[in-house]
Amino acid sequence: MNPFHWVNLRNFLYFATLSGMGWFLDFGTFLVLVGAAHLPESVANFFSSYVGLTFVWITSLQRVFNVNAKSRHHFLLVYWVGQFFSILAYSWALHIVAQALSQAPGLPFIGGHTDASAKIIITPFNLVSNYIFMKVLTQYMHRARSSHA
């Protein structure tokens, strides 16, 4: 039996597309916070991530996970709290990767942009974990809605 039988490839790809748009919002905010506001990359990642993940929440609930507009706001706080721990973990990972990249000799393709490069490296892991988290949360939302109906 396929351990990923619960993953609908079409929904995942649609989620990935919406997440890509959210990532551009996140990444742009990240670059401004690191470049213009001079925040450390882990702090900038924390704040910029909320911009992107809130966009993904709003756009993907109904389109990807078939959750109606009425019940979505009740679970946004749950989503934000869950993402808080995810962002902490990924911000820590981003810091570690950025440090490793800055100390790695012979990486001319980075061009001194270790913060941005580190964010790009951790993004696929964040995408998959966010999809899994939203999938589990929306399944719970569907069960909660059907038990109240």
Side-chain angles (χ1 to χ4, degrees):
M1 180 176 199
N2 182 354
F4 299 105
H5 69 280
W6 53 271
V7 175
N8 178 317
L9 185 58
R10 184 181 83 50
N11 280 356
F12 178 76
L13 292 175
Y14 195 39
F15 179 81
T17 300
L18 294 171
S19 292
M21 290 185 242
W23 185 83
F24 279 114
L25 292 170
D26 174 354
F27 196 65
T29 305
F30 175 79
L31 292 175
V32 168
L33 293 174
V34 168
H38 306 291
L39 290 177
E41 72 278 342
S42 56
V43 174
N45 185 63
F46 185 84
F47 289 111
S48 70
S49 292
Y50 270 95
V51 173
L53 68 88
T54 302
F55 171 83
V56 171
W57 171 266
I58 291 167
T59 59
S60 69
L61 272 184
Q62 188 161 359
R63 291 183 177 112
V64 176
F65 300 106
N66 298 316
V67 174
N68 68 29
K70 290 182 192 177
S71 64
R72 75 172 60 173
H73 66 279
H74 298 294
F75 289 93
L76 180 56
L77 184 58
V78 173
Y79 180 67
W80 278 344
V81 169
Q83 289 301 317
F84 173 81
F85 295 106
S86 174
I87 292 167
L88 283 178
Y90 284 113
S91 292
W92 175 77
L94 186 142
H95 178 72
I96 298 299
V97 171
Q99 281 187 332
L101 290 174
S102 70
Q103 295 173 5
L107 293 178
F109 62 91
I110 293 175
H113 300 288
T114 57
D115 298 333
S117 299
K119 188 152 178 80
I120 290 168
I121 290 168
I122 68 165
T123 293
F125 302 102
N126 194 10
L127 169 69
V128 171
S129 65
N130 192 24
Y131 178 79
I132 292 168
F133 181 65
M134 283 196 75
K135 179 81 172 168
V136 169
L137 180 59
T138 56
Q139 286 174 345
Y140 176 78
M141 292 167 72
H142 283 294
R143 283 193 303 270
R145 188 177 68 203
S146 63
S147 69
H148 288 94

